[in-house]
Amino acid sequence: MEGNRVNEDDVKKRDPLIVAGCAKGYTKEELLSNLPRHNKFSPLLIKQIKLIPEVIFRNSGTPIAKKINRMMREVTTEAYRAKQFTRTEINNRGVLFGVVMLKHRVIDRVLKYFHERWPKCIICLYNEYSQKTSTINEKGIIHEYISPLKEIVDKISENRPLIRYFDDIQFSGEEIFETLYNSQFISERENIPYFKKMIPDACFNLPGMRDSVEKRFRKKTLDKFL
Amino acid sequence: MPSTLEKIRVLGENSKYDICASTASSRTDKYPKLFGNSKNWVGAAASAGICHSYTPDGRCMSLFKTLYTNKCIYNCKYCFSHTCKQRMSFTPEEYARTFMKLYSMNVVEGVFISSGVCCSADETTEDMLEAIRLLRFKYHFQGYVHFKCLPGVSQSLLREAITLSDRISVNSEASTKEFLSEIAEQKDFNNDIILRQRWLKEIRVKHNLDTLKIIKDMKEDSQVKYQELMIQDRREDGYKKFRWDGAPILNSGQTTQFVVGAADGETDLDLLKQIDWGYRNIDLRRGYFSSFIPIEGTPLAGQQAASLSREHRLYQSDWLLRIYHYKLNDLKDILTEDGNLPKGDPKIYLAKKYFEGRGPLDPNFASYKDLIRVPGIGPISAKRIINLQSKKFEFKKREDLKAVGVVLKRAEPYLLINGKNQRTLDHFTHLSPEETSWREIA
């Protein structure tokens, strides 16, 4: 009986009516840990954040709160977009590589995202903005190099054995994805404004999307109307 | 022998009207690995939810969604495969390899495997399972898998599918036996669909409780104690209390899909009744509605297409049932004479009805049940308001409500903020006795 009561209490604690936090926005801890990732971050901002109550930031009513929330949004959005739209390749030595364009210091987040998915691979991402190549190894340790991507990938691959698993999937996938993408098109449901909302213009500047099948769909040629 | 590309083109096109595309999963790393403890595992479902591409209608395209085969013994009147002259199937190895390639390119997040019924449901399901087995145990893929249960499949295969997938769905297609026989006369509604849905629920609950017992024996984990309760706990209205129960097996539960507007005379009420039944009796995680589109060459080619706004209203109503805890009877009140939902947002119709005679709501004293009725207040902002009420916080300004996430533009006509109520033009053009009394309060 006693044991049952403990369990019921536990369930009550997890009742959907109880939510953590009382307002939208970010906690001070989140601000302090994420803002230094912004490329326009200055230590002065940290001092200001420490002095201003959290509720001001959450309400986003003052110019400083607006600025800080905007900066937070830029950081989180950039990391999210990189996870979404970075297109990668994998070689038969288990090296996964791709190109990103990150203004802010979020490369570690993107690397960890790929590391979670391919824990036995070495991930190499070349950042077009900083012109550096970052890698994460099987143990989750991150390194940064000034050399270009191809050089780094070749160097890492040299020391790794050929792995049959990755050798099995060494064929061109671009055409496969393009075919799959085109096959899902339902002309009756076409909704270009919504499509544009889901993939905003800025995303087509990302390295993985510059020459993507989505872009070709979005920008119709005159032939389609004739 | 068609090439892989040709198969993707044809089988992908055949599956495009299946619109289940979410990769929602609450799988965690706290349980032992379900598909063995190989060090070479690949993929993650724990951090799923990222969409890598969108189709031109704005739907996310996160899953490798094709049929396994388009050879089919059924003759459903709405089905695309009627028009397809090329019949083909993947081989399990081909399917698994193609998916792994796409996954390595970071263009898909998981698998959605569906199929026509070739020879028998069991034979086709066995082939589909072989492809998933290869993915799980040869390619060590631990990510998201959505498995489509074919009508009439045997219980033993369903058991295996449950242990290999994150989500399983059985397509209802229509709301009743009569409507289904109208559009797919070979399918038996009670035996092929309802019975399979019931099995799915029973097997899922049993599997999960058994698994939790094993985990509990392995390690003393306090989480496991209430995980068992979360799997079984229900609300007063019979819906599951915890939609995401953190179950180790078939974590994302079961779903279903309806073809809206294919059967003549099927109303929104019929569909809502069936989905409400699903939430109460078979632990349905969610339902999908796909507007019927007539396809040239099918027996229903001459029938009128169902409007996309009807599909949208059904989704809105489904959301109200599932997330906002509205009762089906509430929705019945706003239906038109022909049993369909009226044009426009159902929540606004419901709010107008609910607040008629009650007057605007003071957020300082309102209960959760009342707050959730206000358009512009969702479950999260309602919970925040309740949380602040318990801390004796007083809402005096519009900004206070804005800060907790209330959409004031929608909510203001139904709220009393600092004793004042913001009216809309509607109130002055159609004044009723009840509404004039509101003005006096304000």
Side-chain angles (χ1 to χ4, degrees), chain A residues 51-99:
Chain A
L51 290 173
I52 300 168
E54 192 176 297
V55 67
I56 304 274
F57 293 116
R58 284 192 185 272
N59 284 349
S60 200
T62 60
I64 180 78
K66 276 182 184 159
K67 181 186 170 185
I68 282 169
N69 282 339
R70 179 180 48 79
M71 286 170 78
M72 275 292 283
R73 212 168 38 246
E74 281 170 3
V75 168
T76 47
T77 307
E78 187 170 67
Y80 184 74
R81 294 289 188 211
K83 289 173 193 174
Q84 263 190 306
F85 297 129
T86 299
R87 303 298 182 231
T88 52
E89 277 179 60
I90 201 162
N91 69 13
N92 54 10
R93 314 265 161 171
V95 182
L96 185 96
F97 54 95
V99 184

Side-chain angles (χ1 to χ4, degrees), chain A residues 4 6-8 10-12 14-25 58-59 80-90 96 113-120 164-177 179-181 183-192 194-195 198-199 209 213-214 217, chain B residues 5 8-9 12-13 15-17 19 39-44 47-59 61 63-66 93 97-98 100-109 138-140 223 225-227 229-230 233 241-242 290-291 293-294 308 311 368 380 383-384 387-388 391 399 402-405:
Chain A
N4 277 344
V6 172
N7 285 349
E8 277 166 24
D10 282 340
V11 173
K12 266 183 196 165
R14 304 190 72 165
D15 195 291
L17 262 178
I18 297 164
V19 281
C22 297
K24 59 179 184 176
R58 284 192 185 272
N59 284 349
Y80 184 74
R81 294 289 188 211
K83 289 173 193 174
Q84 263 190 306
F85 297 129
T86 299
R87 303 298 182 231
T88 52
E89 277 179 60
I90 201 162
L96 185 96
Y113 163 82
F114 284 109
H115 174 65
E116 235 177 65
R117 278 159 161 61
W118 300 90
K120 287 287 146 190
R164 212 180 140 210
Y165 179 101
F166 300 114
D167 207 31
D168 267 5
I169 50 173
Q170 290 305 309
F171 49 90
S172 167
E174 271 169 38
E175 218 179 334
I176 292 179
F177 179 63
T179 311
L180 178 71
Y181 187 86
S183 76
Q184 298 299 309
F185 178 49
I186 306 173
S187 56
E188 291 87 347
R189 298 182 78 108
E190 187 167 346
N191 186 348
I192 295 296
Y194 190 41
F195 177 47
M198 302 317 279
I199 314 183
M209 299 291 280
V213 56
E214 294 92 338
F217 243 101
Chain B
L5 266 185
I8 292 174
R9 189 185 66 76
E13 199 167 357
S15 76
K16 69 181 175 185
Y17 294 103
I19 50 170
K39 286 178 184 171
N40 300 319
W41 68 265
V42 161
S47 58
I50 288 179
C51 301
H52 299 286
S53 189
Y54 295 89
T55 55
D57 59 11
R59 286 178 304 148
M61 218 190 96
L63 299 171
F64 177 51
K65 182 154 70 76
T66 68
E93 177 64 35
R97 273 180 74 214
T98 310
M100 286 315 295
K101 180 69 200 174
L102 291 174
Y103 194 73
S104 76
M105 290 164 65
N106 200 34
V107 289
V108 289
E109 191 70 16
K138 183 183 173 191
Y139 290 96
H140 306 292
Q223 285 274 324
K225 285 179 192 164
Y226 50 85
Q227 209 76 62
L229 285 170
M230 282 173 79
D233 243 17
K241 190 170 180 185
F242 297 94
S290 175
S291 280
I293 297 169
L308 292 176
E311 180 188 297
Y368 176 81
I380 300 287
K383 284 170 202 168
R384 283 176 182 150
N387 206 344
L388 284 170
K391 289 176 184 167
E399 287 71 24
K402 204 179 166 190
V404 293

